[in-house]
Amino acid sequence: MDQKLERMKELTARLSEAAKAYYQESREIMSNFEYDRLYDQLRALEEETGTVLAGSPTQKVGYEVLSELPKETHPAAMLSLDKTKEVEALKEWLGDQTGLLSWKLDGLTVVLTYEEGSLVKAVTRGNGEIGEVITNNARVFENIPLRIPYKGTLVLRGEAVIRYSDFEKMNGEIEDMDARYKNPRNLCAGSVRQLNNEITASRHVNFMAFALVQADGVDFENSRDRQFQWLVSQGFQVVEYQVVTGENLSDAVEAFAGAIAEYDIPSDGLVLIFDDIAYGESLGRTAKFPRNAIAFKWADEVRETTLSYIEWSPSRTGLINPVAVFEPVELEGTTVSRASVHNISIMESLELGAGDTITVYKANMIIPQIADNLTRGGIKDIPDVCPVCGGETQIRQVNDVKSLYCLNPDCQAKKIKSFTLLVSRDALNIDGLSEATLEKFIGAGFIREFADIFHLDRHREAIVEMEGFGQKSYDNLIQAIAASSHTTLVRVVYGLGVAGIGLANAKMLCRHFKYDFDAMRQADSESLTEVDGIGQVLAEAWMDYFAQQKNQDMVDHLMAELTIEPVEEEEESGEFAGMTFVITGSVERFKNRKELQNFIESRGGRATGSVTAKTTYLINNNVNSASSKNKKARELGIPILSEEDLLKLLEGEYHAH
């Protein structure tokens, strides 16, 4: 008995810590698989011993809310659902009743209240009893109706979610890989609970209604299905569902399971609720669960395999992430051979080493994870040197988590931005080489310098097995790389990433030096500052770059892979020939500044970023602005044009004020 109680104490502490991280801090320190396993173990011990310890997560429905947002007590406690992983148990629970089977969405539960047809309040679920008031944030959710036809008091519950497609797009805009959100739920939780709803508005939060709590005076004919139909008529998006009976329940579960891989909204299972409202309510509730609904968690398909080795993947911050590479197995209809281990602490908890027999699964049927290590061989292969640069590594402990870091400040993995710029649209324009993909390739040692991008075919077998890749993606990437090798000198100069040399300055350099790259890289300060837009600071940055032999070698290797398209020496022609413009402020007649720049250049003019003595005109629709560029232009006697003035100049009708 003493051993069982000690185990219960240990489980309570571990699960409470995981719940605190998940509910209060929107982060995960334990997989859903592991949490459910330990939770079920604790509940079994409680039933066996008849003892429930204080603070047991089996007696709670959430975690204490800690935030600066206002708090509010829910009129009735919002309980979590009992759950099962067996379809037969679902059938037995439903009996001869009709039910609604829907997605169990993985976001943040929110309660909305409408009065007189207007949204007046939004409160998060919080700990089930006390939530946070987020009304201002809910008003900027993408699909919440602010006004509805119904004028009585309406209270409904739903899930605030961020779609995978929006999540990936937003995560892709965060340059620091380690600052990216781990999953859509974390991003959603942070977005919904912002103190500034301008941030919420930028996060593409959606609301999916899943329960109607109150709508006085509306006859729903005792049917949840009718409630959902009515909510749709009021402008709400409801969670996708199917009406089921014992006869078609299995088929419905199978249909949802087949759709999850392509479903754009995060889901971690299904919910089954009785359609008969009165019958469901008559069943009452337990201390933790209502009896009118039950959750269905996917029975994870677990496969046994052998761990081949741990691959160490460095990132831009120096963090080196361990990835388990194992003998390929079929999981949920696809072949998998890799799973992230995240950090050394997790490796230690699994006692994970090459040659071990492990079990793997797909979290929520999507993300490969290690479930358990059956042989516990122990850690054998934490590298002393970085796999990318060969620099010294160090194990650091931050917030009780041990991780491996590369100490070399010049590690290629830390220079991911330079590789990202080189392949960007205005440089070599290699479609398929996103920053995340580059980081994977650099971490795996496939790319050490620019020229290596053109030899990724040497790593075909490894690339096609990477998560998110396959033969088709690989073929498309190799095609894009081949196409990019035929390029222009302007694109190359811009893509080198010399500090301060943007696309406009790259054009100016190429024109001034008549597209002679050797002359450009050997140029001194005097000849560089003769170029429009290049001052002393940019000239020094250019010279410093080429003063480093490693940069010279890297550029030589890159140029050997490229075919530079010849450019005939331009004779300046057009209405703006010989003129240099600087554009500032907002534009009105053109779509954006880029379009205005193209307009100028197509007529022989040049557009630079800084006002200098060589500037012919400054373009600013606010001619009388006190901006620094306007002030500089006035000091130098440079005319300031509005867009209207520019068009008059084109027609020869402009007269200086």
Side-chain angles (χ1 to χ4, degrees):
M1 183 69 173
D2 287 347
Q3 286 184 339
K4 290 176 181 176
L5 286 173
E6 284 302 315
R7 178 59 176 163
M8 288 165 64
K9 288 178 184 177
E10 179 189 343
L11 290 171
T12 296
R14 287 184 64 187
L15 290 167
S16 295
E17 183 185 6
K20 177 182 179 181
Y22 187 81
Y23 287 106
Q24 180 181 324
E25 301 166 7
S26 299
R27 64 188 181 93
E28 293 180 31
I29 61 174
M30 182 184 294
S31 71
N32 286 338
F33 185 96
E34 181 72 357
Y35 186 91
D36 288 344
R37 185 177 72 82
L38 297 180
Y39 182 95
D40 291 342
Q41 191 179 129
L42 175 60
R43 186 161 62 174
L45 283 169
E46 288 176 345
E47 290 174 0
E48 182 183 342
T49 62
T51 301
V52 177
L53 299 174
S56 170
T58 66
Q59 305 303 303
K60 295 182 177 182
V61 293
Y63 203 82
E64 191 67 27
V65 177
L66 292 175
S67 163
E68 297 179 50
L69 291 166
K71 311 294 189 302
E72 181 166 305
T73 302
H74 296 296
M78 296 178 64
L79 305 179
S80 55
L81 297 179
D82 201 359
K83 63 182 183 293
T84 182
K85 291 187 176 184
E86 303 297 330
V87 176
E88 286 305 315
L90 273 190
K91 280 187 180 180
E92 185 179 334
W93 182 90
L94 185 60
D96 59 1
Q97 291 287 319
T98 298
L100 303 185
L101 186 68
S102 65
W103 294 111
K104 184 176 181 293
L105 300 179
D106 192 16
L108 203 67
T109 300
V110 175
V111 185
L112 302 182
T113 302
Y114 287 77
E115 301 277 4
E116 300 293 332
S118 296
L119 175 65
V120 296
K121 187 165 59 179
V123 184
T124 68
R125 177 182 183 277
N127 66 358
E129 295 180 358
I130 300 173
E132 297 166 311
V133 180
I134 55 153
T135 311
N136 284 340
N137 294 343
R139 292 183 191 281
V140 297
F141 288 3
E142 288 200 334
N143 64 337
I144 280 187
L146 299 181
R147 298 193 63 81
I148 59 174
Y150 176 68
K151 301 305 178 188
T153 298
L154 169 64
V155 181
L156 71 155
R157 295 173 181 169
E159 199 81 352
V161 295
I162 290 177
R163 298 175 184 274
Y164 280 116
S165 52
D166 289 325
F167 168 75
E168 288 162 4
K169 183 178 179 183
M170 285 183 279
N171 240 0
E173 292 169 358
I174 299 174
E175 292 184 349
D176 185 350
M177 293 288 288
D178 297 317
R180 292 180 178 179
Y181 292 94
K182 187 175 180 182
N183 54 50
R185 186 200 175 277
N186 286 13
L187 177 58
C188 185
S191 303
V192 167
R193 300 167 69 196
Q194 286 290 329
L195 298 177
N196 177 1
N197 72 351
E198 184 179 354
I199 298 173
T200 307
S202 70
R203 299 283 180 81
H204 306 285
V205 179
N206 281 258
F207 176 84
M208 313 292 288
F210 61 67
L212 192 155
V213 179
Q214 178 184 348
D216 298 335
V218 183
D219 182 9
F220 298 113
E221 302 174 25
N222 194 38
S223 169
R224 298 278 181 192
D225 187 20
R226 295 277 192 278
Q227 286 184 337
F228 273 16
Q229 293 174 22
W230 183 80
L231 285 172
V232 171
S233 75
Q234 297 296 309
F236 294 98
Q237 190 169 356
V238 301
V239 63
E240 184 182 330
Y241 70 97
Q242 288 189 38
V243 179
V244 294
T245 63
E247 292 183 2
N248 69 345
L249 180 58
S250 296
D251 291 340
V253 171
E254 189 175 336
F256 276 105
I260 192 169
E262 303 298 326
Y263 194 50
D264 199 27
I265 299 173
S267 166
D268 57 359
L270 303 174
V271 172
L272 180 60
I273 189 168
F274 292 117
D275 181 54
D276 187 322
I277 299 171
Y279 174 75
E281 294 298 330
S282 73
L283 299 175
R285 60 193 64 195
T286 67
K288 186 176 181 183
F289 307 121
R291 290 195 173 101
N292 68 340
I294 188 170
F296 175 80
K297 301 283 282 186
W298 304 113
D300 298 298
E301 186 179 7
V302 179
R303 290 283 182 268
E304 191 174 301
T305 185
T306 301
L307 178 66
S308 302
Y309 58 92
I310 296 291
E311 177 181 285
W312 295 89
S313 179
S315 68
R316 69 169 67 230
T317 61
L319 180 67
I320 307 178
N321 299 296
V323 177
V325 181
F326 44 82
E327 290 296 318
V329 289
E330 288 286 323
L331 278 177
E332 313 293 354
T334 62
T335 302
V336 296
S337 60
R338 303 162 63 84
S340 176
V341 187
H342 303 300
N343 54 57
I344 292 175
S345 292
I346 292 176
M347 286 182 66
E348 288 179 344
S349 69
L350 289 168
E351 300 175 67
L352 196 61
D356 275 334
T357 300
I358 59 174
T359 55
V360 294
Y361 73 106
K362 279 188 176 180
N364 295 337
M365 301 173 73
I366 298 173
I367 310 299
Q369 299 281 318
I370 295 177
D372 200 3
N373 181 7
L374 305 180
T375 51
R376 304 271 167 174
I379 299 174
K380 310 179 181 74
D381 48 8
I382 297 177
D384 296 324
V385 297
C386 172
V388 167
C389 69
E392 182 185 354
T393 62
Q394 181 184 77
I395 296 174
R396 297 177 187 166
Q397 185 161 324
V398 180
N399 296 330
D400 299 324
V401 174
K402 291 182 186 176
S403 300
L404 187 67
Y405 288 84
C406 170
L407 302 182
N408 177 16
D410 293 321
C411 178
Q412 292 94 324
K414 296 180 182 180
K415 298 181 178 178
I416 184 71
K417 278 186 181 178
S418 64
F419 289 95
T420 304
L421 176 64
L422 181 71
V423 304
S424 66
R425 184 184 59 186
D426 290 330
L428 295 189
N429 191 25
I430 304 178
D431 191 29
L433 268 185
S434 66
E435 186 170 316
T437 299
L438 277 168
E439 184 146 5
K440 285 181 185 177
F441 289 174
I442 292 168
F446 303 162
I447 298 175
R448 296 173 183 271
E449 61 169 302
F450 290 159
D452 291 337
I453 290 170
F454 296 89
H455 297 286
L456 287 173
D457 53 340
R458 297 170 180 169
H459 310 284
R460 186 194 71 81
E461 289 185 10
I463 292 173
V464 295
E465 289 187 10
M466 282 185 165
E467 185 180 340
F469 264 85
Q471 187 62 47
K472 186 176 180 182
S473 298
Y474 168 82
D475 290 341
N476 290 340
L477 175 60
I478 296 301
Q479 245 181 354
I481 290 171
S484 75
S485 66
H486 293 264
T487 190
T488 66
L489 187 60
V490 170
R491 287 177 174 273
V492 175
V493 170
Y494 168 65
L496 294 180
V498 179
I501 305 299
L503 191 58
N505 286 333
K507 289 177 181 177
M508 293 298 181
L509 280 165
C510 290
R511 285 174 180 168
H512 182 85
F513 287 96
K514 302 188 184 305
Y515 297 89
D516 182 345
F517 185 56
D518 283 337
M520 291 165 64
R521 66 199 291 188
Q522 295 167 16
D524 58 19
S525 176
E526 186 177 349
S527 56
L528 286 167
T529 53
E530 289 176 1
V531 181
D532 284 342
I534 304 294
Q536 192 61 42
V537 173
L538 293 186
E540 287 178 5
W542 179 268
M543 291 187 297
D544 287 346
Y545 182 90
F546 286 103
Q548 298 180 54
Q549 189 58 46
K550 63 180 182 180
N551 287 341
Q552 291 275 16
D553 293 342
M554 184 170 64
V555 170
D556 284 341
H557 298 159
L558 173 63
M559 296 300 283
E561 303 293 338
L562 302 176
T563 301
I564 304 298
E565 297 169 4
V567 177
E568 293 182 10
E569 288 192 19
E570 303 171 11
E571 289 186 15
E572 293 189 346
S573 61
E575 297 89 337
F576 297 153
M579 299 181 187
T580 300
F581 297 81
V582 174
I583 305 166
T584 191
S586 59
V587 294
E588 297 164 2
R589 296 289 297 269
F590 294 84
K591 190 188 306 180
N592 49 43
R593 288 196 203 177
K594 183 71 175 175
E595 186 177 81
L596 175 52
Q597 180 181 331
N598 292 340
F599 175 80
I600 290 169
E601 291 177 349
S602 68
R603 285 156 178 79
R606 299 178 181 181
T608 63
S610 303
V611 176
T612 70
K614 299 172 184 175
T615 303
T616 313
Y617 294 106
L618 172 65
I619 300 173
N620 187 348
N621 282 316
N622 189 354
V623 174
N624 298 314
S625 164
S627 71
S628 59
K629 286 184 179 176
N630 279 34
K631 184 179 179 183
K632 184 74 175 288
R634 291 192 192 100
E635 289 174 355
L636 296 172
I638 295 166
I640 304 171
L641 311 184
S642 66
E643 286 172 88
E644 289 294 334
D645 293 333
L646 178 70
L647 296 175
K648 288 178 183 177
L649 180 68
L650 184 65
E651 301 298 327
E653 298 175 1
Y654 171 73
H655 301 287
H657 301 301

Short mmCIF file of all heavy atoms in Angstrom, two decimals, residues 411-452:
data_model
loop_
_atom_site.label_atom_id
_atom_site.label_comp_id
_atom_site.label_asym_id
_atom_site.label_seq_id
_atom_site.Cartn_x
_atom_site.Cartn_y
_atom_site.Cartn_z
N CYS A 411 29.34 29.43 -36.51
CA CYS A 411 28.70 28.21 -37.02
C CYS A 411 27.73 28.56 -38.14
O CYS A 411 26.95 29.50 -38.03
CB CYS A 411 27.94 27.51 -35.88
SG CYS A 411 27.07 26.02 -36.40
N GLN A 412 27.77 27.78 -39.24
CA GLN A 412 26.89 28.07 -40.37
C GLN A 412 25.42 28.03 -39.98
O GLN A 412 24.61 28.77 -40.53
CB GLN A 412 27.12 27.05 -41.50
CG GLN A 412 28.47 27.17 -42.18
CD GLN A 412 29.48 26.22 -41.56
OE1 GLN A 412 29.47 25.98 -40.36
NE2 GLN A 412 30.36 25.67 -42.38
N ALA A 413 25.10 27.16 -39.03
CA ALA A 413 23.70 27.05 -38.62
C ALA A 413 23.20 28.35 -38.00
O ALA A 413 22.01 28.64 -38.03
CB ALA A 413 23.53 25.91 -37.62
N LYS A 414 24.12 29.15 -37.43
CA LYS A 414 23.74 30.43 -36.83
C LYS A 414 23.59 31.52 -37.89
O LYS A 414 23.17 32.63 -37.59
CB LYS A 414 24.77 30.85 -35.78
CG LYS A 414 24.85 29.89 -34.59
CD LYS A 414 25.87 30.35 -33.59
CE LYS A 414 25.97 29.37 -32.43
NZ LYS A 414 26.96 29.77 -31.42
N LYS A 415 23.97 31.19 -39.11
CA LYS A 415 23.91 32.18 -40.18
C LYS A 415 22.78 31.86 -41.16
O LYS A 415 22.89 32.13 -42.35
CB LYS A 415 25.26 32.24 -40.90
CG LYS A 415 26.38 32.68 -39.97
CD LYS A 415 27.71 32.78 -40.69
CE LYS A 415 28.79 33.28 -39.74
NZ LYS A 415 30.11 33.35 -40.38
N ILE A 416 21.72 31.29 -40.62
CA ILE A 416 20.61 30.87 -41.47
C ILE A 416 20.03 32.04 -42.26
O ILE A 416 19.56 31.88 -43.38
CB ILE A 416 19.52 30.19 -40.61
CG1 ILE A 416 18.38 29.65 -41.46
CG2 ILE A 416 18.97 31.09 -39.54
CD1 ILE A 416 18.74 28.47 -42.27
N LYS A 417 20.06 33.25 -41.68
CA LYS A 417 19.50 34.41 -42.38
C LYS A 417 20.20 34.65 -43.71
O LYS A 417 19.56 35.03 -44.70
CB LYS A 417 19.62 35.66 -41.51
CG LYS A 417 18.54 35.81 -40.47
CD LYS A 417 18.68 37.16 -39.78
CE LYS A 417 17.62 37.33 -38.71
NZ LYS A 417 17.77 38.62 -38.00
N SER A 418 21.51 34.45 -43.75
CA SER A 418 22.24 34.71 -44.99
C SER A 418 21.84 33.73 -46.07
O SER A 418 21.71 34.09 -47.24
CB SER A 418 23.75 34.66 -44.74
OG SER A 418 24.15 33.36 -44.34
N PHE A 419 21.61 32.46 -45.70
CA PHE A 419 21.16 31.48 -46.68
C PHE A 419 19.73 31.77 -47.11
O PHE A 419 19.37 31.61 -48.28
CB PHE A 419 21.26 30.07 -46.09
CG PHE A 419 22.67 29.57 -45.91
CD1 PHE A 419 23.33 29.71 -44.70
CD2 PHE A 419 23.35 28.99 -46.96
CE1 PHE A 419 24.63 29.26 -44.54
CE2 PHE A 419 24.66 28.54 -46.82
CZ PHE A 419 25.30 28.67 -45.59
N THR A 420 18.91 32.22 -46.16
CA THR A 420 17.51 32.54 -46.48
C THR A 420 17.45 33.69 -47.48
O THR A 420 16.64 33.67 -48.41
CB THR A 420 16.74 32.91 -45.20
OG1 THR A 420 16.86 31.84 -44.26
CG2 THR A 420 15.28 33.15 -45.49
N LEU A 421 18.30 34.70 -47.29
CA LEU A 421 18.32 35.83 -48.22
C LEU A 421 18.76 35.38 -49.60
O LEU A 421 18.18 35.79 -50.62
CB LEU A 421 19.26 36.91 -47.68
CG LEU A 421 19.46 38.13 -48.62
CD1 LEU A 421 18.14 38.88 -48.80
CD2 LEU A 421 20.53 39.06 -48.09
N LEU A 422 19.78 34.54 -49.67
CA LEU A 422 20.31 34.11 -50.96
C LEU A 422 19.24 33.43 -51.82
O LEU A 422 19.22 33.60 -53.03
CB LEU A 422 21.50 33.17 -50.77
CG LEU A 422 22.15 32.69 -52.08
CD1 LEU A 422 22.91 33.83 -52.77
CD2 LEU A 422 23.08 31.51 -51.82
N VAL A 423 18.36 32.66 -51.19
CA VAL A 423 17.36 31.91 -51.97
C VAL A 423 16.04 32.66 -52.10
O VAL A 423 15.09 32.15 -52.68
CB VAL A 423 17.10 30.52 -51.35
CG1 VAL A 423 18.40 29.74 -51.23
CG2 VAL A 423 16.41 30.61 -50.00
N SER A 424 15.97 33.89 -51.56
CA SER A 424 14.71 34.64 -51.56
C SER A 424 14.31 35.08 -52.96
O SER A 424 15.08 35.00 -53.92
CB SER A 424 14.82 35.86 -50.63
OG SER A 424 15.76 36.79 -51.15
N ARG A 425 13.10 35.57 -53.07
CA ARG A 425 12.50 35.90 -54.37
C ARG A 425 13.34 36.87 -55.19
O ARG A 425 13.51 36.70 -56.40
CB ARG A 425 11.10 36.49 -54.16
CG ARG A 425 10.34 36.76 -55.46
CD ARG A 425 9.02 37.43 -55.17
NE ARG A 425 9.23 38.69 -54.46
CZ ARG A 425 8.25 39.44 -53.97
NH1 ARG A 425 7.01 39.04 -54.05
NH2 ARG A 425 8.51 40.58 -53.35
N ASP A 426 13.86 37.93 -54.56
CA ASP A 426 14.61 38.94 -55.31
C ASP A 426 16.07 38.56 -55.52
O ASP A 426 16.79 39.26 -56.22
CB ASP A 426 14.55 40.29 -54.58
CG ASP A 426 13.15 40.91 -54.64
OD1 ASP A 426 12.44 40.64 -55.64
OD2 ASP A 426 12.78 41.62 -53.70
N ALA A 427 16.51 37.45 -54.89
CA ALA A 427 17.87 36.97 -55.12
C ALA A 427 17.80 35.77 -56.07
O ALA A 427 17.32 35.91 -57.18
CB ALA A 427 18.53 36.62 -53.79
N LEU A 428 18.23 34.58 -55.65
CA LEU A 428 18.23 33.44 -56.57
C LEU A 428 16.85 32.85 -56.80
O LEU A 428 16.65 32.06 -57.72
CB LEU A 428 19.19 32.35 -56.06
CG LEU A 428 20.67 32.73 -56.00
CD1 LEU A 428 21.52 31.51 -55.69
CD2 LEU A 428 21.13 33.38 -57.30
N ASN A 429 15.90 33.19 -55.93
CA ASN A 429 14.50 32.81 -56.14
C ASN A 429 14.33 31.30 -56.28
O ASN A 429 13.84 30.80 -57.28
CB ASN A 429 13.92 33.52 -57.37
CG ASN A 429 12.41 33.36 -57.47
OD1 ASN A 429 11.73 33.15 -56.46
ND2 ASN A 429 11.87 33.45 -58.67
N ILE A 430 14.75 30.56 -55.22
CA ILE A 430 14.63 29.10 -55.24
C ILE A 430 13.38 28.70 -54.47
O ILE A 430 13.35 28.71 -53.24
CB ILE A 430 15.87 28.42 -54.63
CG1 ILE A 430 17.13 28.88 -55.37
CG2 ILE A 430 15.72 26.90 -54.70
CD1 ILE A 430 18.41 28.28 -54.81
N ASP A 431 12.32 28.36 -55.19
CA ASP A 431 11.07 27.97 -54.58
C ASP A 431 11.25 26.61 -53.90
O ASP A 431 11.83 25.69 -54.47
CB ASP A 431 9.97 27.88 -55.65
CG ASP A 431 8.60 27.72 -55.06
OD1 ASP A 431 8.40 28.21 -53.94
OD2 ASP A 431 7.72 27.11 -55.71
N GLY A 432 10.77 26.47 -52.67
CA GLY A 432 10.88 25.19 -51.97
C GLY A 432 11.95 25.19 -50.90
O GLY A 432 12.01 24.27 -50.08
N LEU A 433 12.81 26.20 -50.90
CA LEU A 433 13.84 26.30 -49.85
C LEU A 433 13.41 27.34 -48.82
O LEU A 433 13.94 28.46 -48.78
CB LEU A 433 15.19 26.66 -50.45
CG LEU A 433 16.11 25.50 -50.84
CD1 LEU A 433 17.46 26.00 -51.30
CD2 LEU A 433 16.30 24.52 -49.69
N SER A 434 12.42 26.99 -48.01
CA SER A 434 11.98 27.90 -46.95
C SER A 434 13.04 27.96 -45.86
O SER A 434 13.98 27.15 -45.84
CB SER A 434 10.68 27.39 -46.34
OG SER A 434 10.91 26.17 -45.66
N GLU A 435 12.88 28.89 -44.95
CA GLU A 435 13.85 29.01 -43.86
C GLU A 435 13.87 27.74 -43.02
O GLU A 435 14.93 27.26 -42.60
CB GLU A 435 13.49 30.21 -42.99
CG GLU A 435 14.52 30.49 -41.91
CD GLU A 435 14.28 31.81 -41.21
OE1 GLU A 435 13.99 32.80 -41.90
OE2 GLU A 435 14.38 31.84 -39.97
N ALA A 436 12.68 27.17 -42.78
CA ALA A 436 12.62 25.95 -41.98
C ALA A 436 13.33 24.79 -42.68
O ALA A 436 14.03 24.00 -42.05
CB ALA A 436 11.15 25.58 -41.71
N THR A 437 13.15 24.70 -44.00
CA THR A 437 13.81 23.64 -44.77
C THR A 437 15.32 23.84 -44.78
O THR A 437 16.10 22.90 -44.61
CB THR A 437 13.27 23.59 -46.21
OG1 THR A 437 11.87 23.31 -46.16
CG2 THR A 437 13.96 22.52 -47.02
N LEU A 438 15.74 25.09 -44.97
CA LEU A 438 17.18 25.39 -44.93
C LEU A 438 17.78 24.98 -43.60
O LEU A 438 18.87 24.41 -43.54
CB LEU A 438 17.41 26.88 -45.17
CG LEU A 438 17.43 27.34 -46.63
CD1 LEU A 438 17.37 28.85 -46.70
CD2 LEU A 438 18.66 26.82 -47.36
N GLU A 439 17.06 25.27 -42.52
CA GLU A 439 17.60 24.94 -41.20
C GLU A 439 17.76 23.43 -41.06
O GLU A 439 18.74 22.95 -40.48
CB GLU A 439 16.70 25.50 -40.10
CG GLU A 439 17.27 25.25 -38.73
CD GLU A 439 16.95 26.35 -37.73
OE1 GLU A 439 16.20 27.28 -38.08
OE2 GLU A 439 17.45 26.27 -36.60
N LYS A 440 16.80 22.68 -41.59
CA LYS A 440 16.92 21.22 -41.55
C LYS A 440 18.16 20.75 -42.31
O LYS A 440 18.92 19.91 -41.85
CB LYS A 440 15.67 20.57 -42.17
CG LYS A 440 14.43 20.61 -41.31
CD LYS A 440 13.29 19.91 -42.03
CE LYS A 440 11.98 20.03 -41.26
NZ LYS A 440 10.85 19.43 -42.00
N PHE A 441 18.34 21.31 -43.53
CA PHE A 441 19.45 20.89 -44.38
C PHE A 441 20.79 21.29 -43.77
O PHE A 441 21.76 20.53 -43.81
CB PHE A 441 19.31 21.49 -45.78
CG PHE A 441 18.19 20.90 -46.59
CD1 PHE A 441 17.86 21.43 -47.83
CD2 PHE A 441 17.47 19.81 -46.14
CE1 PHE A 441 16.84 20.89 -48.60
CE2 PHE A 441 16.44 19.25 -46.89
CZ PHE A 441 16.13 19.80 -48.12
N ILE A 442 20.84 22.50 -43.21
CA ILE A 442 22.08 22.96 -42.58
C ILE A 442 22.37 22.12 -41.34
O ILE A 442 23.50 21.69 -41.10
CB ILE A 442 21.99 24.46 -42.22
CG1 ILE A 442 21.94 25.30 -43.52
CG2 ILE A 442 23.17 24.89 -41.36
CD1 ILE A 442 21.57 26.74 -43.29
N GLY A 443 21.32 21.87 -40.56
CA GLY A 443 21.48 21.06 -39.36
C GLY A 443 21.95 19.65 -39.66
O GLY A 443 22.69 19.05 -38.88
N ALA A 444 21.52 19.11 -40.81
CA ALA A 444 21.93 17.76 -41.20
C ALA A 444 23.31 17.74 -41.85
O ALA A 444 23.82 16.67 -42.19
CB ALA A 444 20.89 17.16 -42.15
N GLY A 445 23.89 18.92 -42.04
CA GLY A 445 25.23 19.00 -42.64
C GLY A 445 25.23 18.99 -44.16
O GLY A 445 26.29 18.89 -44.78
N PHE A 446 24.07 19.13 -44.80
CA PHE A 446 24.00 19.12 -46.26
C PHE A 446 24.50 20.44 -46.85
O PHE A 446 25.00 20.48 -47.97
CB PHE A 446 22.56 18.90 -46.75
CG PHE A 446 21.91 17.64 -46.25
CD1 PHE A 446 20.54 17.49 -46.30
CD2 PHE A 446 22.68 16.60 -45.74
CE1 PHE A 446 19.93 16.33 -45.85
CE2 PHE A 446 22.07 15.43 -45.29
CZ PHE A 446 20.69 15.31 -45.34
N ILE A 447 24.33 21.54 -46.10
CA ILE A 447 24.71 22.87 -46.59
C ILE A 447 25.66 23.50 -45.59
O ILE A 447 25.32 23.71 -44.42
CB ILE A 447 23.47 23.77 -46.79
CG1 ILE A 447 22.51 23.18 -47.82
CG2 ILE A 447 23.90 25.18 -47.19
CD1 ILE A 447 21.21 23.96 -47.97
N ARG A 448 26.86 23.82 -46.05
CA ARG A 448 27.85 24.51 -45.22
C ARG A 448 28.21 25.88 -45.79
O ARG A 448 28.62 26.77 -45.09
CB ARG A 448 29.11 23.65 -45.07
CG ARG A 448 28.86 22.33 -44.34
CD ARG A 448 30.08 21.43 -44.36
NE ARG A 448 29.80 20.15 -43.72
CZ ARG A 448 29.96 19.88 -42.44
NH1 ARG A 448 30.41 20.83 -41.63
NH2 ARG A 448 29.69 18.70 -41.95
N GLU A 449 28.11 26.01 -47.11
CA GLU A 449 28.34 27.30 -47.76
C GLU A 449 27.36 27.42 -48.93
O GLU A 449 26.65 26.47 -49.28
CB GLU A 449 29.79 27.42 -48.24
CG GLU A 449 30.19 26.37 -49.27
CD GLU A 449 31.53 26.69 -49.90
OE1 GLU A 449 31.63 27.79 -50.49
OE2 GLU A 449 32.46 25.87 -49.82
N PHE A 450 27.31 28.60 -49.54
CA PHE A 450 26.32 28.89 -50.58
C PHE A 450 26.31 27.84 -51.69
O PHE A 450 25.26 27.39 -52.14
CB PHE A 450 26.57 30.27 -51.19
CG PHE A 450 26.27 31.43 -50.27
CD1 PHE A 450 26.84 32.67 -50.50
CD2 PHE A 450 25.42 31.27 -49.18
CE1 PHE A 450 26.55 33.75 -49.67
CE2 PHE A 450 25.15 32.34 -48.33
CZ PHE A 450 25.71 33.58 -48.58
N ALA A 451 27.48 27.46 -52.17
CA ALA A 451 27.56 26.56 -53.33
C ALA A 451 26.95 25.19 -53.05
O ALA A 451 26.51 24.49 -53.97
CB ALA A 451 29.02 26.41 -53.77
N ASP A 452 26.89 24.80 -51.77
CA ASP A 452 26.36 23.47 -51.43
C ASP A 452 24.90 23.32 -51.80
O ASP A 452 24.41 22.20 -51.97
CB ASP A 452 26.52 23.20 -49.92
CG ASP A 452 27.98 23.03 -49.52
OD1 ASP A 452 28.80 22.69 -50.39
OD2 ASP A 452 28.30 23.25 -48.34
#
